[in-house]
Amino acid sequence: MTRKPILLFVLLISLMLLFTSCSVNHTSAYNKAVEIFATGEYADAAEAFEKLGDYSNAPTYAAYSRGLVLFDQGQYVAAEPYFAQVRDFMYGETRYQYCHGCLLESEGKFSEAAATFLALADYEDAAILYRYNNARYAEANADYETALYDYQMAGDYSDAATRLDALRTQVYDQAVLLAAQGHDEQALHLFTMLGNYYDSAEQARICKQHFRDARYAEAEALYNSGDLQGAYEIFISLTGFSDATTRAEEIGQMLGIELPNVE
């Protein structure tokens, strides 16, 4: 064998040994990184996997580990891009959806965020985040009844309590204004919505009394004008108020109406 073929043979053997050695080292390092991951030391695991480059499943483990570090720190928006890379790995999809919901919330996309958290059911505190985002969306769309309820259900999450108090004040002031303007039915709805807030229950009672008085007077006016049917319909709707039931019965007999069973 000439010198040149011998040198080539030696070079090939050396390369084979080198590749074998690298493969063994990568396998060992990969297994070590998996062990670190299993202990919950995710920051260390991420660094170990990142050193392995594209070897085996290292990139997936690295992204997942980085995401877990941020997730455990409550940095959900920052964690979202990492879980986006590993949605089909372990619990990547669920964590991605949770973090994505937080991203949507941070962008003011409350309706989308609410839908995202609702789909997560009882995962982490998704139910509370659903209530908060749904309340933000409802408030923006003047659905105050929903907003009040969901802010209350959101408890001490974010600024839910502050927003609840501010909204209650806003609705109360609006109800007082409506009552002063004689819009008792609308005011009654708002005061009832507020429940026991301040003197809302008493204000609701007063508005209800005013509303019934006004409806009773309207029925009397219709009766005196000869509109017996109109008077009857209002009196029957005021069942339990004053002598409305008796008046309805009297007018019903004039009209030949078989009265419903009222008390």
Side-chain angles (χ1 to χ4, degrees):
M1 182 179 292
T2 63
R3 181 177 179 79
K4 188 173 182 180
I6 292 175
L7 291 174
L8 181 59
F9 177 74
V10 171
L11 178 60
L12 289 172
I13 294 298
S14 298
L15 288 172
M16 288 176 62
L17 292 173
L18 177 62
F19 289 142
T20 301
S21 175
C22 288
S23 177
V24 171
N25 289 339
H26 275 78
T27 300
S28 176
Y30 181 86
N31 291 336
K32 180 62 177 177
V34 171
E35 290 179 9
I36 297 173
F37 178 87
T39 65
E41 299 295 330
Y42 301 122
D44 293 339
E47 291 183 10
F49 282 119
E50 286 166 351
K51 290 178 181 178
L52 290 167
D54 293 332
Y55 179 78
S56 186
N57 209 25
T60 299
Y61 267 111
Y64 193 80
S65 297
R66 287 296 179 196
L68 288 177
V69 171
L70 293 167
F71 193 93
D72 289 345
Q73 294 173 348
Q75 299 184 53
Y76 306 116
V77 174
E80 193 254 16
Y82 291 104
F83 289 122
Q85 300 174 47
V86 293
R87 295 176 65 172
D88 59 349
F89 180 72
M90 297 184 72
Y91 300 103
E93 177 63 19
T94 303
R95 292 181 185 276
Y96 166 74
Q97 291 296 338
Y98 184 94
C99 293
H100 188 62
C102 292
L103 175 62
L104 291 170
E105 179 185 318
S106 72
E107 294 175 342
K109 299 175 180 177
F110 302 116
S111 178
E112 296 174 56
T116 300
F117 288 123
L118 180 62
L120 287 170
D122 58 353
Y123 178 75
E124 296 285 342
D125 58 350
I128 292 175
L129 271 63
Y130 159 70
R131 292 294 185 184
Y132 176 80
N133 282 276
N134 200 50
R136 292 293 300 270
Y137 178 73
E139 181 181 4
N141 288 274
D143 181 1
Y144 300 134
E145 187 168 5
T146 297
L148 287 167
Y149 179 77
D150 282 345
Y151 277 138
Q152 187 170 2
M153 294 298 291
D156 59 358
Y157 173 75
S158 187
D159 59 349
T162 301
R163 287 185 171 278
L164 174 61
D165 188 58
L167 185 57
R168 279 173 170 167
T169 301
Q170 177 186 334
V171 173
Y172 181 87
D173 291 345
Q174 185 179 349
V176 169
L177 178 60
L178 286 168
Q181 294 173 340
H183 302 300
D184 294 299
E185 186 175 11
Q186 294 170 269
L188 172 60
H189 174 69
L190 295 182
F191 282 128
T192 301
M193 185 191 306
L194 289 169
N196 295 322
Y197 177 72
Y198 195 41
D199 64 344
S200 294
E202 176 60 18
Q203 292 291 346
R205 187 193 65 76
I206 294 171
C207 286
K208 189 173 184 179
Q209 179 68 38
H210 288 170
F211 174 70
R212 285 178 166 182
D213 286 340
R215 290 290 284 168
Y216 188 96
E218 183 183 353
E220 284 283 20
L222 289 173
Y223 176 81
N224 293 330
S225 70
D227 185 356
L228 300 183
Q229 182 66 41
Y232 170 79
E233 290 176 359
I234 293 178
F235 279 129
I236 202 69
S237 72
L238 293 173
T239 297
F241 175 70
S242 186
D243 63 344
T245 300
T246 301
R247 297 300 307 280
E249 290 173 348
E250 293 172 352
I251 298 172
Q253 289 176 358
M254 296 178 191
L255 294 171
I257 297 174
E258 185 176 346
L259 298 178
N261 198 10
V262 294
E263 295 182 2

